[in-house]
Amino acid sequence: QVQFVESGGGSVQPGGSLRLSCLVSKFALDDYAIGWFRQAPGKEREGVSCISSSDGSTKYADSVLGRFTISRDKGKNTVYLQMNSLQPEDTAAYYCAANLMRRQCAAHQVQHEYAYWGRGTQVTVSS
């Protein structure tokens, strides 16, 4: 069956970096846009970034623009999220999923358009 498996989370100090990976099984990255979301305790899940299936174009939430970079390796069927200059407010569980309604990313990621959610990977930023 289709599986999205996130990894690469951990604990870092403010200003640090992490690279998250989303390994996709039985699903081609060419089929639909892939997104990263995050959810902090007591808060709603929010869209962080998206990479389009057709041309690899990307979108970012304002809160991470300039600090996070989404990319993909079709050969490894993996989508990455490079996170730099991490801040305590970036602390959350991070999830990847497929947008089954779009091949091209929308300006803002809407949770209900996504499916095949992974179990998430925890990112904690603290001093």
Side-chain angles (χ1 to χ4, degrees), residues 6 8 25 29 35 55 68 83 101-102 112:
E6 304 92 342
S25 302
L29 298 185
D55 59 5
F68 290 11
M83 306 187 298
M101 299 178 64
R102 299 176 186 271
H112 73 256

mmCIF file of all heavy atoms in Angstrom, residues 6 8 25 29 35 55 68 83 101-102 112:
data_model
loop_
_atom_site.group_PDB
_atom_site.id
_atom_site.type_symbol
_atom_site.label_atom_id
_atom_site.label_comp_id
_atom_site.label_asym_id
_atom_site.label_seq_id
_atom_site.Cartn_x
_atom_site.Cartn_y
_atom_site.Cartn_z
ATOM 1 N N GLU A 6 8.124 9.697 7.437
ATOM 2 C CA GLU A 6 8.985 10.829 7.750
ATOM 3 C C GLU A 6 10.113 10.399 8.689
ATOM 4 O O GLU A 6 9.936 9.501 9.522
ATOM 5 C CB GLU A 6 8.195 11.946 8.442
ATOM 6 C CG GLU A 6 6.986 12.449 7.684
ATOM 7 C CD GLU A 6 5.705 11.724 8.073
ATOM 8 O OE1 GLU A 6 5.801 10.622 8.655
ATOM 9 O OE2 GLU A 6 4.617 12.242 7.789
ATOM 10 N N GLY A 8 14.208 12.101 10.391
ATOM 11 C CA GLY A 8 15.170 13.191 10.450
ATOM 12 C C GLY A 8 14.925 14.215 11.527
ATOM 13 O O GLY A 8 15.707 15.154 11.695
ATOM 14 N N SER A 25 6.426 5.266 -0.681
ATOM 15 C CA SER A 25 6.357 3.919 -1.254
ATOM 16 C C SER A 25 5.084 3.750 -2.054
ATOM 17 O O SER A 25 4.023 4.219 -1.649
ATOM 18 C CB SER A 25 6.398 2.866 -0.143
ATOM 19 O OG SER A 25 7.552 2.989 0.628
ATOM 20 N N LEU A 29 6.321 10.393 -7.336
ATOM 21 C CA LEU A 29 6.377 11.826 -7.045
ATOM 22 C C LEU A 29 5.906 12.656 -8.225
ATOM 23 O O LEU A 29 5.634 13.846 -8.074
ATOM 24 C CB LEU A 29 7.803 12.217 -6.652
ATOM 25 C CG LEU A 29 8.360 11.542 -5.399
ATOM 26 C CD1 LEU A 29 9.731 12.099 -5.054
ATOM 27 C CD2 LEU A 29 7.416 11.690 -4.224
ATOM 28 N N GLY A 35 3.361 17.755 0.092
ATOM 29 C CA GLY A 35 3.457 18.847 1.047
ATOM 30 C C GLY A 35 4.022 18.428 2.388
ATOM 31 O O GLY A 35 3.972 17.250 2.755
ATOM 32 N N ASP A 55 6.551 20.370 -12.326
ATOM 33 C CA ASP A 55 7.772 21.123 -12.634
ATOM 34 C C ASP A 55 8.683 21.326 -11.431
ATOM 35 O O ASP A 55 9.698 22.001 -11.543
ATOM 36 C CB ASP A 55 7.427 22.478 -13.242
ATOM 37 C CG ASP A 55 6.573 23.335 -12.323
ATOM 38 O OD1 ASP A 55 6.316 22.919 -11.175
ATOM 39 O OD2 ASP A 55 6.153 24.422 -12.760
ATOM 40 N N PHE A 68 13.494 27.558 5.189
ATOM 41 C CA PHE A 68 13.245 26.155 4.839
ATOM 42 C C PHE A 68 13.318 25.995 3.322
ATOM 43 O O PHE A 68 12.936 26.895 2.564
ATOM 44 C CB PHE A 68 11.861 25.711 5.296
ATOM 45 C CG PHE A 68 11.691 25.582 6.785
ATOM 46 C CD1 PHE A 68 12.643 26.050 7.680
ATOM 47 C CD2 PHE A 68 10.567 24.959 7.309
ATOM 48 C CE1 PHE A 68 12.484 25.922 9.052
ATOM 49 C CE2 PHE A 68 10.378 24.819 8.669
ATOM 50 C CZ PHE A 68 11.338 25.311 9.545
ATOM 51 N N MET A 83 15.776 22.540 6.934
ATOM 52 C CA MET A 83 15.324 23.582 7.843
ATOM 53 C C MET A 83 16.553 24.234 8.481
ATOM 54 O O MET A 83 17.302 23.575 9.207
ATOM 55 C CB MET A 83 14.416 22.985 8.921
ATOM 56 C CG MET A 83 13.250 22.188 8.345
ATOM 57 S SD MET A 83 12.082 21.648 9.609
ATOM 58 C CE MET A 83 13.131 20.593 10.591
ATOM 59 N N MET A 101 -5.540 16.417 -5.068
ATOM 60 C CA MET A 101 -6.376 17.304 -5.863
ATOM 61 C C MET A 101 -5.544 18.189 -6.798
ATOM 62 O O MET A 101 -6.105 18.875 -7.655
ATOM 63 C CB MET A 101 -7.228 18.180 -4.949
ATOM 64 C CG MET A 101 -8.175 17.392 -4.069
ATOM 65 S SD MET A 101 -9.148 18.420 -2.954
ATOM 66 C CE MET A 101 -10.116 19.369 -4.115
ATOM 67 N N ARG A 102 -4.238 18.178 -6.613
ATOM 68 C CA ARG A 102 -3.412 19.100 -7.405
ATOM 69 C C ARG A 102 -2.095 18.456 -7.820
ATOM 70 O O ARG A 102 -1.490 17.698 -7.052
ATOM 71 C CB ARG A 102 -3.074 20.350 -6.591
ATOM 72 C CG ARG A 102 -4.262 21.159 -6.145
ATOM 73 C CD ARG A 102 -3.800 22.319 -5.273
ATOM 74 N NE ARG A 102 -4.923 23.049 -4.707
ATOM 75 C CZ ARG A 102 -5.506 24.067 -5.299
ATOM 76 N NH1 ARG A 102 -5.069 24.478 -6.471
ATOM 77 N NH2 ARG A 102 -6.522 24.683 -4.732
ATOM 78 N N HIS A 112 -7.249 19.483 4.042
ATOM 79 C CA HIS A 112 -8.224 18.519 3.547
ATOM 80 C C HIS A 112 -7.958 18.083 2.106
ATOM 81 O O HIS A 112 -8.574 17.129 1.623
ATOM 82 C CB HIS A 112 -9.655 19.057 3.687
ATOM 83 C CG HIS A 112 -10.021 20.137 2.704
ATOM 84 N ND1 HIS A 112 -10.099 21.462 3.047
ATOM 85 C CD2 HIS A 112 -10.310 20.085 1.389
ATOM 86 C CE1 HIS A 112 -10.435 22.163 1.987
ATOM 87 N NE2 HIS A 112 -10.570 21.359 0.961
#
